[in-house]
Amino acid sequence: DHICLSSLQLNYSPPFSCFFTKQADCTALELLKLNGYLSFHGISAAARDWGLIKHMPPAAVLHPDSVHDIAELIRVVASSSSNLTVAAKGPGHSVNGQAQADKGIVIEMSTMRGIQVMPHGDEDCALPFVEANGGELWVDVLEETLKKGLAPNSWTDYLYLSVGGTLSNAGVSGQTFRHGPQISNILQLEVVTGKGEIVICSASKQPELFHAVLGGLGQFGIITKARILLEPAPQNVRWTRAMYSDFEVFRKDQEMLISSSATTTSMLADQQEQLHMTFDFIEGFVVMNTEDPINGWKSVPFSPDQMTASMLPPDAGSVLYYLEITVGYNLEDVGPALEERVEKMLAPLNYIPSLMFTTDVSYFKFLNRVHDLELNLRAHELWDVPHPWLNLFVPASSITTFDSLVFKQLVPVEFGGPILVYPVNRNKWDSRAATVVPDEEVFYLVAFLRNALPSGPGLESMLDDNARILKICEELRGKQYLPRYTEEEQWKLHFGTDRWNAFVQHKHMFDPHAILAPGQNIFPRRQADDRLLQLASS
């Protein structure tokens, strides 16, 4: 099932021809010297991801023992005449085959583990940070840092994702309005480039590679280690959900809430107090005006008996909205002062007064909240179904139009999972990173997290819906987050001319043979250097 290559000699010929049809592929792998191993059987999981839409079996899976195994594989493949490609795969939560390698080699990153918490920083950085290997899960990073009373300040909604995976995209959640995405909170990376080079990079050391890799869709290097900024973690959170029937009121409240975090300059005392009165987490959702326990208003309260249909306004439309917000606190903060602070923070909001629900939970439980949903869905055998998810960035100036054209046109069968809509501040995103966002100071994350359930519409119908929604988004000058295009012209439009040219230049610099992340469908394998330069200048 697998071959350990730690002592492989150049004149030894393992039976690679059983798995690779081209002699060049066999020759390339015969040169490998690894401490880990390659698997050839029982590797079907490497062709499976969260989306269950694409299925591209690899020829082999590498289980690296160290970063040197990854570099050795890429270096040998890059220096050969092989047509092999290489993809790094974490827990497999891509939705469209982005971490697959058709007849190539998938690197199983789960063997790349290790977490070191530095609560006082080190000689290079006085700030607290955690250094985590690329295959580590964010939930494990959280557990380790909480032992020191610290935690990263920017998260994803689901924590069973790998560090290297989310940093190759952006990593967004309800903290993004305040701290930016996860890629804006990274101090340093260890990267294996498409040339097989192991590079330590940061904003001041090898900055071009550093910023290209963050949000770079895996095109320029495999993230094998990251230093992540930490902050003091609260022990508990006051978790509030507040409902709206009017989108404009809902929109204005959200944008008002994130405005106090927009400043990037040094703050005066009154500005610091204003930030103290800012929620730690802000997300918005769209739900149906039905009693559906998953997609209707019954999903909003923390307990089903907290709400009845009679509590809704008589003029409520077919869809409703709710705001999800939190305030972090420690046990010594419990008392009248905390209640007064929360009440003062909620006072400017214009939600439906009778439809506000609160609960108090630990900080860990809140950040890991989606795992509880996972366990429930797994118990009902509804977790391992196709997930034709669609994630978008919509400019704030267009979000009301988007609501009219999309949200208000949805019918119950078109839900099939949560729909998120919440604003973020563009100045919290590092413009040097590769992730593409709208050119407005405020834009919205809109996510259709739909599940192709046996009782719902078919997968093809849901993919058609996604195409229709994406077209509306693009006409409104929005961008696709976690993009999945198939044509070069589509990628050019997504990036825009200048950013596309820079993207191509970086590909030429760091992965000239287009070995890495073939599942993104951006660059074909064995693209000649002069072709890349031609693209960069076109």
Side-chain angles (χ1 to χ4, degrees), residues 22 38 43 120 143 169 195 208 233 290 310 382 413 456 461:
K22 296 185 178 180
L38 282 169
I43 58 176
H120 306 293
E143 288 185 324
N169 291 283
K195 298 177 181 180
E208 197 161 7
T290 71
S310 63
L382 295 175
V413 295
S461 173

Side-chain angles (χ1 to χ4, degrees), residues 12-206:
Y12 173 68
S13 299
F16 291 131
S17 57
C18 299
F19 309 101
F20 301 100
T21 58
K22 296 185 178 180
Q23 183 60 40
D25 296 345
C26 301
T27 302
L29 295 184
E30 286 173 11
L31 298 176
L32 283 171
K33 295 182 179 180
L34 305 173
N35 291 314
Y37 63 89
L38 282 169
S39 291
F40 301 95
H41 294 294
I43 58 176
S44 59
R48 175 188 174 93
D49 62 21
W50 175 245
L52 292 181
I53 297 171
K54 294 287 184 67
H55 184 84
M56 297 179 286
V61 173
L62 172 66
H63 302 262
D65 180 68
S66 71
V67 64
H68 298 287
D69 283 350
I70 297 174
E72 169 75 359
L73 171 69
I74 295 174
R75 190 161 49 244
V76 168
V77 171
S79 62
S80 75
S81 59
S82 167
N83 286 326
L84 287 172
T85 55
V86 177
K89 178 178 179 291
H93 277 270
S94 298
V95 298
N96 204 56
Q98 289 95 331
Q100 297 179 30
D102 189 18
K103 300 181 183 65
I105 300 176
V106 168
I107 300 175
E108 178 51 68
M109 295 297 290
S110 64
T111 60
M112 296 293 293
R113 307 300 282 268
I115 299 172
Q116 183 179 14
V117 182
M118 303 292 287
H120 306 293
D122 64 5
E123 65 275 8
D124 296 323
C125 178
L127 299 172
F129 66 84
V130 57
E131 186 167 85
N133 281 6
E136 280 291 351
L137 302 183
W138 284 101
V139 66
D140 295 322
V141 172
L142 176 61
E143 288 185 324
E144 287 301 310
T145 56
L146 283 179
K147 293 176 182 178
K148 303 292 186 180
L150 300 167
N153 54 23
S154 188
W155 292 94
T156 55
D157 287 331
Y158 183 61
L159 300 186
Y160 290 78
L161 306 175
S162 70
V163 168
T166 65
L167 297 184
S168 296
N169 291 283
V172 296
S173 185
Q175 304 90 356
T176 302
F177 80 98
R178 186 168 181 174
H179 299 290
Q182 290 180 317
I183 59 173
S184 291
N185 296 276
I186 303 302
L187 300 172
Q188 180 178 286
L189 296 174
E190 178 186 81
V191 174
V192 181
T193 71
K195 298 177 181 180
E197 300 170 339
I198 302 172
V199 182
I200 304 297
C201 56
S202 67
S204 60
K205 182 180 180 181
Q206 302 273 358

Side-chain angles (χ1 to χ4, degrees), residues 300-323:
V300 181
F302 296 102
S303 175
D305 59 2
Q306 290 180 307
M307 183 176 175
T308 63
S310 63
M311 299 168 69
L312 289 167
D315 59 348
S318 61
V319 294
L320 302 165
Y321 315 91
Y322 75 89
L323 190 61

